[in-house]
Amino acid sequence: SLAFVLWYWLIREIKVTTAQLLPFVNTLVAVILGAAVLGEKPGARALAGGAAILLGLTVSLSPGRRPPGLPGV
């Protein structure tokens, strides 16, 4: 399938740990497209979940300080 080919290409091009964050972005895109294209109205829990995903992505992708001996992402 094309999706698997693209997935393995992406893993080869960027770090695996970064590529593993993509499914979270996919969830956000699905909710946004549902609202934009289908007129769906996300509830409070969907909005809170989206905010939690964005916060998690920000923390995961920020360079930040790490304890000695802990490998970087």
Side-chain angles (χ1 to χ4, degrees):
S1 155
L2 179 60
F4 284 111
V5 171
L6 292 174
W7 178 251
Y8 288 113
W9 172 82
L10 182 66
I11 289 174
R12 190 175 57 205
E13 294 298 318
I14 65 174
K15 294 179 183 176
V16 173
T17 51
T18 303
Q20 292 298 327
L21 299 174
L22 190 61
F24 297 117
V25 176
N26 186 24
T27 304
L28 285 176
V29 170
V31 171
I32 292 168
L33 284 176
V37 175
L38 302 175
E40 295 178 355
K41 295 181 182 177
R45 286 193 278 182
L47 295 175
I53 289 172
L54 289 175
L55 178 63
L57 289 172
T58 301
V59 170
S60 297
L61 295 173
S62 65
R65 295 184 55 193
R66 302 192 192 292
L70 186 65
V73 176

